[in-house]
Amino acid sequence: MPAFETLFSFVNCWECDENDHLNVQFYLARFDEADRQFRLLTGLSDALAGVRRARHVRYHAELYSGDTLVMTSHIAFDGPYMLTVVHELRRTIDGALAATAVDGYAPSDQMARELRKRFDAAAAPMPDAALPRGLATTPEATSLTARQVEAAGGTLTHRATVLPRHIGPDGRAEDAFALACFSEAAPHLWNRTPMTEAWLEARDLGRVAVEMKLVWTSPLKLGDTVMTLSGVTGAAASTFSFRHYLFEARTNRLALICDVVALTMSLKTRRAVRLEDQVRGAIVKDAMKR
């Protein structure tokens, strides 16, 4: 069966960032909405599949102010998780794939067999483009404290409060809130590498995320104050990786882990730029112990 159309949207100018393209937090807002619509259309629920274990996002193409968007969603029984829901965001005018999200669940074997029967009409093959590439699907350690993260090399990069506009219908803060925190935290992390604001400006480069993995460890509710601790975790030829930990600040309770693969992009050619050897070496040297 064809995938369900779960979102029709439009890129507003105020959703674009310093690179003049759609900021990551607004991709996640759209995935949040597509997920709600998919659940309504199919009857999928936490009671059946359990709480989502991970959301793995890949960014495939830039989106600009004025672009119209359509999202389709389906279950992929051949996906990387016991139960995998795939969301594909495309630009309407040319059908270009802009971003994908893979939502992973871990129902019991018996329940997984039941879900396969129940949701066969909502199933389609796993698209290669949505498969995780730079980040593993293995479970993360979710019992870390803020002190342990700091001891491993994480540093404070952001503080915020969960406000009414950040809460979803289930009473919990949504992914878009977490990404808003991380969007503001990331530049502070970049500034602790050789790729500072001045360094980027001198080379006419922008900061770009290409892949993310979000793992909620406990929910956040209205009024919770949060803090983000961040650290780099590695580097490759053109990309480097880092991790954000989102803690509820009053009790230091870990709420969310977000791994990111990022790169520098030429603002003229809109293409990735290879990391300089000196920059890569500095990142590897300072990588946070995971």
Side-chain angles (χ1 to χ4, degrees):
M1 179 178 176
F4 291 83
E5 292 181 324
T6 49
L7 185 83
F8 296 87
S9 191
F10 175 85
V11 178
N12 297 281
C13 60
W14 52 267
E15 297 177 306
C16 296
D17 57 24
E18 74 279 6
N19 294 327
D20 295 324
H21 62 199
L22 185 66
N23 185 267
V24 290
Q25 64 184 289
F26 299 109
Y27 285 87
L28 269 294
R30 288 165 171 84
F31 287 131
D32 281 337
E33 184 58 41
D35 178 61
R36 287 192 288 268
Q37 296 299 327
F38 184 70
R39 287 167 175 258
L40 172 66
L41 292 167
T42 64
L44 183 68
S45 67
D46 288 359
L48 291 173
V51 177
R52 188 186 79 206
R53 295 299 182 91
R55 170 166 282 170
H56 201 119
V57 179
R58 290 187 61 191
Y59 302 97
H60 303 277
E62 295 180 275
L63 292 173
Y64 304 101
S65 178
D67 282 342
T68 53
L69 311 173
V70 63
M71 185 95 73
T72 57
S73 306
H74 70 273
I75 290 176
F77 289 116
D78 58 342
Y81 294 94
M82 183 70 76
L83 178 69
T84 301
V85 177
V86 181
H87 307 286
E88 297 178 280
L89 181 64
R90 296 182 183 275
R91 193 165 51 217
T92 307
I93 193 169
D94 58 3
L97 184 64
T100 54
V102 171
D103 292 349
Y105 298 83
S108 66
D109 290 343
Q110 182 177 355
M111 181 56 70
R113 289 192 291 270
E114 176 64 28
L115 292 173
R116 182 177 289 272
K117 296 176 183 177
R118 182 165 183 167
F119 294 103
D120 182 66
M126 180 71 203
D128 289 341
L131 284 169
R133 183 177 177 181
L135 297 171
T137 59
T138 52
E140 304 296 338
T142 57
S143 59
L144 294 172
T145 66
R147 182 171 296 180
Q148 288 173 317
V149 173
E150 289 175 329
T155 56
L156 181 65
T157 51
H158 188 255
R159 291 185 182 274
T161 303
V162 181
L163 301 176
R165 66 176 181 269
H166 303 137
I167 298 296
D170 59 2
R172 296 179 292 186
E174 298 187 309
D175 285 4
F177 166 72
L179 262 293
C181 294
F182 301 152
S183 290
E184 296 194 10
H188 295 280
L189 174 67
W190 281 69
N191 279 343
R192 291 170 182 169
T193 76
M195 298 177 290
T196 63
E197 294 172 53
W199 188 94
L200 293 166
E201 184 177 358
R203 292 160 177 79
D204 200 21
L205 300 177
R207 298 177 288 251
V208 179
V210 294
E211 192 167 356
M212 291 180 173
K213 178 186 176 184
L214 290 83
V215 176
W216 283 95
T217 63
S218 61
L220 292 171
K221 64 182 187 304
L222 180 64
D224 282 345
T225 55
V226 299
M227 62 181 182
T228 300
L229 300 177
S230 310
V232 296
T233 53
S238 298
T239 63
F240 77 107
S241 58
F242 51 92
R243 175 175 281 190
H244 299 296
Y245 293 88
L246 189 65
F247 286 90
E248 190 278 313
R250 288 191 180 92
T251 63
N252 284 334
R253 168 175 55 87
L254 181 60
L256 177 67
I257 300 171
C258 179
D259 283 301
V260 183
V261 177
L263 52 78
T264 56
M265 177 188 72
S266 167
L267 296 178
K268 291 182 179 179
T269 66
R270 313 302 288 192
R271 293 183 179 276
V273 175
R274 187 180 179 88
L275 288 178
E276 298 176 6
D277 290 342
Q278 181 180 1
V279 171
R280 187 184 309 107
I283 292 173
V284 171
K285 181 180 179 180
D286 292 339
M288 180 172 55
K289 300 180 182 68
R290 301 170 68 177

